[in-house]
Amino acid sequence: MKNSCFYLLILHLIFISCGTSSDIELPSPEALTVSERFKNPIGFYDSIPDFSWKLPTSVQGQSAYAIVVASSLDLLEKKPDLWKSGIVKSDQSLFVKYEGKALTSRQKVYWKVKFWDNKGKESHWSETAHFELGLLRNSDWKGKWIHIPYEQLNETDYLGSLLFRPQYIRKEIQIPEDVKNARLYITAKGVYEAYVNGIKVSDDRMSPGWVPYRKYIPTLTYNLSKLLKKGKNTIGVVVAEGWYAGRIYLRKRKKTHQETPSLLCQLEIEHDKGKMQIVSDEDWKVNQNGPIRVSKIYDGETYDANFELGEWNKNNYNESGWSNVQTQALDSAVLLLPKRFGSVKDKEIIEVKNITQPKPDIAIFNFGQNNVGVPLLNVPMKKGDTLKVRFAEMLNTDGTLYTKNYRSAKSTDYYVAAKDGVIHWRPSFTFHGYQYVELSGYLKGEQPQKNWVKAIVQYSDFNSNGTFSSSHKKLNQLQSNIRWGLKSNFFDVPTDCPQRDERLGWTGDAQVITPTAIYNADMYAFWTGYLQSMRFEQIKNGSIPKVIPSNLGNGASTGWGDACVIIPWELYFRTGDTNVLQENYGMMKKWLEYYARHAQGNIVETMHAFGDWLQPFASLDKKGQEGRRGDTPKNYIATAYYARSVELTYKTALVLGKTEDANYYKTLYDAIKNAFQKRFYDNNGKTKHKIETQTQYLLAIEFDLITDDLKPKVYKHLKRVINDCDNHLRTGFLGTPILPFALDKAGETDLMYSILFKETYPSWFYSINQGATTMWERWNSYTHKDGFNKQGMNSFNHYAYGAIGQWMYERIAGIKPIEAGYKKIEIAPIPGGALTSAQASYMSPYGEVSSEWKLKNGVFELKATIPSNTTAVIKVFGNTAENLILNGKSFVENERVKLTNKGGEYFELLVQPGSYVFETKH
């Protein structure tokens, strides 16, 4: 008896020392961000920010939170002076709106958060996060635009237009005391690189980027506290034409003095005895006779080492031969706004795979991967010789560069050597789309080496946000092609292609790729920046230009202009942030007004449409070539997209609490649906148009434009027209992205798998079989049998058809949101085709979601991870007459996993956060 009491006492003490579950301290919140997932930003744009955080993976959920915000670290700990939220009973951990004192330009703000879990247990405070605002108003800027004097602009380029050589601009300054804090606020009409005492202030490239410059210009902020010192310092900036004054933006219009690239900057310094401010004004010096002789986005860059300026960006430089800058006052009509997303940066390096020499003294370097950026050159040269650097995505049959698809873009760099030896150089203010680099003009007799060239891959500064892989080699190559297509075309704006004389922000391409882009990369801020430009570019009549920034006129196209509705909705649904809807709601409404003016009886008859662009096997045009706009009628597409935009605007109004608007748009949506079905379908669910297309049926199904009683008949016709094409797609830029989702709704997922795994034209794998390493503009831009497509439009880096990536994540891997922001998640992979396994992960706003399945020996295994503060519906496909296995044991309901449906082809479960392994007989 004594021994039993002793053991009970020991067990009691052990229990006390370990603590009950309610005594265990909660870890702190993690991954604190503001607004569109910015971590401790400087030069921030948002004076009324939102706060977000993630719960530790060990925590199931949140029942309350508290946020404190202060103007200093000391006040944050002792007496927060900007905002104390108090204890807010809510599970909200994303986009909590700041409700404190008004914030102003330059202000640095500190904040932290803690939470209470779903059992009421309080966490520790998080680590301190912070953000610092940029200059928010034009009145904050005290300087002027500065540039080369107009009278020195007396050269013309090969097009007969005014030649803008890159400008080298400098100023020496004196700082009387040790520097405590320093900020450089800077922007350009053009693109720039800034230096302090010879050191580049940032790894940004092509800043400030491409926007509607006549309406607003983005500004950037850099911390120079460690670069500046007591005494003499030199600020140096190179300014080139970039997009602002290049033909990419001006197109065929001749340049004038008004387009002269210019610099605006403001250096604010806090030192031991006070503050000082240096601005761009008349006291700066400029020289356009530097080594970068020409730099153009389409045509490339020329660097002549004989014109090098020595240590021009350092102290005590001899400025003889330099001019005083010319100044221009700020234009109050052009807003200066802090940039809302990351600049382009050098992101990756690719090594040469092999070298060929189609002709003597010409070497072609193959990187094995189509990409975008600039080359890094280390090439032996003779003094006075010119190295010619050409680029191509493909080779001709004779091994030479195929550049016909670049059209008028010369895409050629030159380097003139000032001495014998190995030159080390990279272009600064251009970029190229290429897989192959051709060199000529290197030292004669030298055998080309792989280390002569490296590819610096450049794109806007975002990171990977998801992964996808499978048991199928070509499907994995397709995923790689999708990712490279995205990286190659997200170069400050979402371009259609990165190589030819286009590289424009086509809205139609953008709206179809947005979900796929978000699965693959953390791009929320990038897209909100694009929408900002779209709002500025919207025409007074409500139309949305076909490219953003707009440089092709004001004409709108249905399916393209709808990006102003579709992209905000997709961003909201995948992030949970209502701000993106609020910001763009006015634009969405004006777009619908534009539609209404082109509608007769709710059928849009008179609106321009690019159609189902590049539909394969389209009817021949007058030249005997396939029509680029496809065979789906324009009024059909226009009315379908009108309905779609009205529906999403109706949903947006509901989210924003605009009940009256929501009722109006719901009534309008129903009226358009009724008119659409009556106009375009007979009672047998067949389209009335003389030419049936897959896209007609796909739009009707995916946009839910037909009544429930007619849907089975429409499904049958869709299946028939696909079967008539030997289960191949016949869809273009608008039909292809919705093909898999419409087939899912029609209960034809197996048919979609069949289409996806086709090897023959037209199909995703067909391009891969021809050697594609990115997405192509046409399925057959090139074939081994026939060579290059003779109808043109042969971009080998065009992301639109990569929209299939969304279905790969959502259906093959089975990850998608049910509620906005992944507050509720679905994991429901459906095996199909030749696949025996697939896996995907996605960093949702709440944390990582993952799904991994394999099918082996008749057993289907599904591994799933659900992040904290969410719930998930998991559908495990298999024989529901057999037992379901969970984590190695027969399934028994518990507080974390509830069976909500059993029957048919899957078990449906409601699941709390955690990691799970399910097994079923298949």
Side-chain angles (χ1 to χ4, degrees):
M1 184 68 180
K2 289 181 179 180
N3 288 340
S4 297
C5 290
F6 176 75
Y7 291 133
L8 286 172
L9 176 62
I10 294 295
L11 288 172
H12 180 65
L13 290 173
I14 292 173
F15 181 77
I16 292 175
S17 66
C18 292
T20 65
S21 59
S22 61
D23 293 328
I24 297 174
E25 291 186 343
L26 289 179
S28 304
E30 302 169 347
L32 275 63
T33 58
V34 289
S35 298
E36 296 95 344
R37 301 178 185 169
F38 290 98
K39 182 178 181 181
N40 299 334
I42 182 175
F44 191 47
Y45 80 94
D46 193 354
S47 62
I48 310 176
D50 302 289
F51 300 112
S52 299
W53 58 92
K54 293 177 182 177
L55 303 187
T57 56
S58 59
V59 176
Q60 289 285 296
Q62 173 186 292
S63 61
Y65 66 83
I67 299 172
V68 291
V69 185
S71 57
S72 71
L73 284 170
D74 186 57
L75 287 171
L76 187 70
E77 298 301 326
K78 296 177 181 178
K79 191 177 181 181
D81 60 329
L82 296 178
W83 185 44
K84 292 174 67 176
S85 70
I87 300 175
V88 180
K89 293 184 177 180
S90 170
D91 65 353
Q92 183 180 1
S93 58
L94 302 177
F95 306 108
V96 175
K97 183 65 70 177
Y98 172 72
E99 297 179 355
K101 296 179 181 178
L103 305 179
T104 59
S105 296
R106 307 176 181 83
Q107 187 166 1
K108 189 167 185 178
V109 177
Y110 301 85
W111 69 285
K112 58 183 179 179
V113 61
K114 64 179 174 181
F115 69 90
W116 284 257
D117 70 7
N118 47 13
K119 295 182 179 180
K121 182 68 177 178
E122 181 179 355
S123 78
H124 289 291
W125 284 105
S126 67
E127 293 186 1
T128 298
H130 56 83
F131 61 92
E132 181 180 320
L133 294 171
L135 301 185
L136 304 178
R137 298 175 300 275
N138 281 30
S139 59
D140 294 320
W141 292 85
K142 306 307 178 184
K144 303 173 184 178
W145 291 105
I146 59 176
H147 54 76
I148 194 79
Y150 287 157
E151 61 265 22
Q152 296 186 30
L153 297 172
N154 50 24
E155 298 178 89
T156 56
D157 60 20
Y158 70 96
L159 295 171
S161 189
L162 200 61
L163 176 63
F164 294 133
R165 295 197 184 278
Q167 304 169 48
Y168 295 76
I169 304 175
R170 72 184 308 275
K171 181 180 178 65
E172 290 189 8
I173 63 173
Q174 192 73 29
I175 303 176
E177 300 292 338
D178 288 336
V179 174
K180 296 171 63 177
N181 196 36
R183 296 291 183 267
L184 176 65
Y185 304 100
I186 186 171
T187 189
K189 295 176 181 177
V191 290
Y192 69 84
E193 287 185 355
Y195 299 83
V196 171
N197 300 325
I199 300 173
K200 197 166 181 286
V201 304
S202 169
D203 58 355
D204 290 350
R205 300 288 179 182
M206 302 293 284
S207 289
W210 191 14
V211 299
Y213 298 108
R214 279 64 178 170
K215 298 170 184 177
Y216 85 98
I217 298 176
T219 66
L220 290 99
T221 305
Y222 300 114
N223 184 351
L224 303 190
S225 304
K226 295 182 179 180
L227 293 179
L228 294 169
K229 62 184 187 302
K230 179 181 179 180
K232 188 181 292 186
N233 295 264
T234 296
I235 311 299
V237 185
V238 189
V239 178
E241 68 175 37
W243 293 276
Y244 172 80
R247 64 186 177 103
I248 188 171
Y249 191 45
L250 303 178
R251 307 310 287 174
K252 296 180 181 180
R253 182 165 63 84
K254 293 290 183 70
K255 302 173 188 176
T256 68
H257 288 141
Q258 299 304 313
E259 278 88 37
T260 302
S262 307
L263 170 69
L264 176 68
C265 64
Q266 187 161 305
L267 175 60
E268 300 185 357
I269 302 169
E270 180 183 359
H271 53 71
D272 284 346
K273 291 188 178 180
K275 297 180 179 180
M276 59 186 296
Q277 185 179 82
I278 294 93
V279 301
S280 49
D281 57 19
E282 297 85 353
D283 295 333
W284 293 60
K285 296 290 186 179
V286 62
N287 190 338
Q288 65 172 348
N289 202 28
I292 306 178
R293 309 303 297 155
V294 177
S295 192
K296 297 176 180 291
I297 287 177
Y298 283 160
D299 297 332
E301 187 166 295
T302 297
Y303 187 98
D304 189 336
N306 295 288
F307 287 84
E308 288 181 343
L309 297 171
E311 295 184 331
W312 69 274
N313 50 17
K314 293 184 179 180
N315 296 332
N316 304 314
Y317 181 76
N318 183 356
E319 294 179 343
S320 61
W322 289 58
S323 305
N324 292 323
V325 296
Q326 183 172 327
T327 65
Q328 296 289 334
L330 303 187
D331 184 350
S332 60
V334 179
L335 298 181
L336 299 169
L337 302 173
K339 191 175 178 73
R340 291 186 61 155
F341 60 96
S343 295
V344 171
K345 294 183 185 292
D346 299 344
K347 299 292 289 185
E348 303 176 39
I349 296 287
I350 305 178
E351 304 284 346
V352 171
K353 300 298 181 185
N354 59 67
I355 304 172
T356 57
Q357 290 192 265
K359 298 179 182 178
D361 299 320
I362 293 179
I364 294 179
F365 299 77
N366 178 10
F367 291 94
Q369 174 63 59
N370 204 357
N371 73 97
V372 171
V374 295
L376 178 62
L377 302 173
N378 297 278
V379 181
M381 290 189 67
K382 182 180 178 181
K383 179 180 178 180
D385 284 352
T386 298
L387 183 72
K388 186 176 183 180
V389 189
R390 299 174 65 225
F391 302 85
E393 296 180 299
M394 301 286 282
L395 297 180
N396 292 307
T397 54
D398 62 359
T400 59
L401 298 187
Y402 171 77
T403 59
K404 186 177 180 180
N405 66 322
Y406 285 30
R407 301 192 302 212
S408 70
K410 294 182 180 297
S411 196
T412 303
D413 299 328
Y414 297 92
Y415 184 97
V416 181
K419 60 183 178 181
D420 294 343
V422 176
I423 62 105
H424 306 282
W425 179 70
R426 53 167 293 166
S428 296
F429 299 114
T430 188
F431 62 94
H432 306 280
Y434 65 100
Q435 179 173 326
Y436 300 91
V437 169
E438 178 195 273
L439 296 185
S440 60
Y442 52 85
L443 187 62
K444 288 187 177 182
E446 286 290 322
Q447 183 64 34
Q449 302 296 316
K450 288 183 178 181
N451 63 3
W452 283 13
V453 193
K454 293 182 180 179
I456 302 175
V457 180
Q458 298 176 313
Y459 47 91
S460 289
D461 189 24
F462 52 78
N463 296 315
S464 175
N465 210 42
T467 63
F468 176 91
S469 63
S470 74
S471 58
H472 198 281
K473 183 178 179 180
K474 288 183 182 176
L475 189 63
N476 295 339
Q477 182 63 52
L478 175 58
Q479 167 65 6
S480 176
N481 291 5
I482 291 169
R483 290 180 68 90
W484 276 103
L486 296 174
K487 290 189 290 188
S488 300
N489 282 290
F490 290 142
F491 203 97
D492 210 73
V493 299
T495 63
D496 60 324
C497 60
Q499 76 295 85
R500 68 188 179 210
D501 58 353
E502 198 167 356
R503 315 186 199 188
L504 307 179
W506 285 93
T507 51
D509 304 50
Q511 66 95 350
V512 301
I513 203 64
T514 302
T516 296
I518 292 173
Y519 273 119
N520 282 278
D522 187 4
M523 297 191 65
Y524 182 27
F526 177 91
W527 285 113
T528 59
Y530 182 63
L531 289 171
Q532 180 183 41
S533 290
M534 193 179 294
R535 292 194 298 276
F536 274 101
E537 293 283 44
Q538 186 172 33
I539 311 305
K540 288 183 179 179
N541 65 6
S543 70
I544 298 293
K546 46 189 165 288
V547 295
I548 303 293
S550 176
N551 66 345
L552 296 180
N554 296 331
S557 171
T558 184
W560 271 248
D562 299 276
C564 74
V565 176
I566 294 170
I567 295 177
W569 178 260
E570 287 291 348
L571 294 180
Y572 157 71
F573 190 62
R574 294 171 190 285
T575 65
D577 185 9
T578 59
N579 290 306
V580 70
L581 298 181
Q582 188 69 56
E583 267 194 326
N584 295 288
Y585 186 62
M587 176 170 64
M588 297 159 76
K589 292 180 67 176
K590 288 173 65 179
W591 173 243
L592 296 186
E593 293 169 5
Y594 180 77
Y595 256 127
R597 285 193 291 273
H598 290 270
Q600 301 172 16
N602 291 314
I603 300 297
V604 182
E605 299 283 10
T606 61
M607 196 163 166
H608 172 71
F610 287 112
D612 195 21
W613 188 253
L614 297 186
Q615 169 207 320
F617 298 106
S619 299
L620 301 183
D621 60 19
K622 295 178 180 179
K623 296 180 181 179
Q625 297 182 337
E626 290 181 8
R628 292 178 178 177
R629 297 171 189 257
D631 293 323
T632 303
K634 292 180 181 180
N635 61 350
Y636 186 105
I637 292 175
T639 306
Y641 266 96
Y642 182 28
R644 180 61 168 164
S645 283
V646 170
E647 179 193 21
L648 295 183
T649 306
Y650 153 66
K651 291 181 177 180
T652 297
L654 286 178
V655 172
L656 297 178
K658 300 179 183 295
T659 306
E660 186 175 342
D661 281 3
N663 291 337
Y664 169 77
Y665 288 124
K666 179 63 168 66
T667 301
L668 177 58
Y669 173 58
D670 290 340
I672 298 170
K673 284 180 62 175
N674 291 336
F676 179 90
Q677 180 169 315
K678 183 178 180 180
R679 173 66 177 274
F680 296 114
Y681 282 86
D682 63 22
N683 293 332
N684 294 315
K686 186 175 182 293
T687 176
K688 295 178 182 178
H689 192 251
K690 60 182 180 180
I691 301 177
E692 282 183 288
T693 66
Q694 295 176 10
T695 295
Q696 289 171 20
Y697 294 113
L698 296 172
L699 286 168
I701 295 168
E702 178 59 14
F703 291 176
D704 194 23
L705 299 178
I706 46 179
T707 54
D708 289 344
D709 63 304
L710 200 65
K711 285 179 181 178
K713 299 177 182 179
V714 174
Y715 296 162
K716 287 178 64 177
H717 288 297
L718 172 61
K719 187 174 181 180
R720 174 180 54 78
V721 296
I722 293 176
N723 290 160
D724 289 345
C725 301
D726 191 28
N727 290 353
H728 282 74
L729 56 81
R730 291 290 188 271
T731 50
F733 276 32
L734 296 182
T736 303
I738 63 174
L739 170 68
F741 303 100
L743 285 175
D744 277 353
K745 289 181 178 179
E748 296 290 348
T749 300
D750 286 343
L751 177 56
M752 183 58 220
Y753 266 112
S754 175
I755 295 170
L756 176 60
F757 281 86
K758 288 292 183 185
E759 301 269 352
T760 49
Y761 175 78
S763 68
W764 285 275
F765 288 1
Y766 183 73
S767 300
I768 291 172
N769 292 339
Q770 313 311 312
T773 62
T774 45
M775 303 308 299
W776 289 359
E777 187 172 18
R778 293 182 183 271
W779 305 106
N780 61 344
S781 288
Y782 170 84
T783 68
H784 294 309
K785 178 183 176 183
D786 299 321
F788 298 101
N789 192 300
K790 294 179 176 57
Q791 298 185 95
M793 309 303 291
N794 287 334
S795 166
F796 295 96
N797 208 336
H798 223 89
Y799 60 61
Y801 288 140
I804 185 64
Q806 179 186 357
W807 193 78
M808 291 161 62
Y809 273 88
E810 293 186 357
R811 176 54 67 225
I812 297 178
I815 297 173
K816 69 177 181 181
I818 297 176
E819 295 179 3
Y822 288 81
K823 184 62 175 173
K824 191 171 185 179
I825 303 161
E826 180 180 270
I827 305 285
I830 299 179
L835 292 179
T836 58
S837 67
Q839 77 83 29
S841 65
Y842 173 68
M843 186 55 69
S844 81
Y846 291 96
E848 185 174 82
V849 184
S850 68
S851 171
E852 179 179 356
W853 64 264
K854 64 180 179 181
L855 187 58
K856 187 175 181 180
N857 298 326
V859 175
F860 178 74
E861 179 186 88
L862 173 62
K863 297 180 181 179
T865 300
I866 311 303
S868 300
N869 212 27
T870 67
T871 57
V873 172
I874 297 182
K875 296 179 180 179
V876 186
F877 283 79
N879 185 351
T880 56
E882 299 282 346
N883 286 338
L884 174 65
I885 305 299
L886 171 59
N887 298 333
K889 299 179 180 179
S890 293
F891 170 70
V892 177
E893 279 198 353
N894 55 69
E895 64 178 9
R896 294 178 63 188
V897 184
K898 303 288 186 183
L899 183 66
T900 56
N901 187 29
K902 177 182 177 182
E905 298 179 334
Y906 57 84
F907 298 87
E908 182 178 285
L909 307 114
L910 182 62
V911 177
Q912 301 301 313
S915 295
Y916 305 90
V917 181
F918 299 94
E919 292 182 22
T920 62
K921 295 286 187 180
H922 193 266

